[in-house]
Amino acid sequence: MSVMPDVLSETELRGALGELPGWSLVDRKLHRTLTFADFRAAFGFMASVATAAEAMNHHPEWRNVYRTVEIWLTTHDAGGVTPRDVRLAHEIDRHAAGKVQA
């Protein structure tokens, strides 16, 4: 049986957001909207993140419309944002680097 990580305190959450440019807190979840050159680039990004998320056994809530991907991260079992969400956000940023449109 695995131990569920603790929900981040307000101070920890502010610190994490300070290390995650482009991310915000929406409805008690980490949130980011990314825009890519086209649908193919957006879908390719999602495919690469899906592989990483599966390896982490932690999966994003997300939606894709054409070239835009909107992502929400929370640990449902813990009832809020945990270090797992922060690690996945950093991984998502790594996959998005150099691919996101301004």
Side-chain angles (χ1 to χ4, degrees):
M1 179 156 125
S2 65
V3 176
M4 187 55 55
D6 291 332
V7 173
L8 297 178
S9 70
E10 289 297 319
T11 301
E12 292 168 325
L13 193 50
R14 278 193 302 276
L17 286 170
E19 298 173 1
L20 292 165
W23 290 86
S24 62
L25 194 62
V26 174
D27 296 329
R28 299 183 57 165
K29 300 175 183 179
L30 292 179
H31 176 265
R32 185 162 186 203
T33 300
L34 302 163
T35 304
F36 296 87
D38 54 26
F39 176 75
R40 183 182 302 226
F43 192 83
F45 161 79
M46 291 177 76
S48 68
V49 169
T51 300
E54 185 65 18
M56 295 173 73
N57 193 29
H58 194 54
H59 307 93
E61 295 176 31
W62 55 9
R63 73 184 198 113
N64 165 242
V65 177
Y66 181 49
R67 64 190 202 123
T68 301
V69 177
E70 194 169 9
I71 304 165
W72 298 266
L73 301 176
T74 189
T75 302
H76 295 283
D77 294 345
V81 177
T82 69
R84 294 180 75 200
D85 301 299
V86 174
R87 283 192 299 276
L88 183 53
H90 282 290
E91 185 68 13
I92 287 168
D93 286 350
R94 189 178 72 74
H95 286 268
K99 299 175 185 168
V100 176
Q101 302 286 300

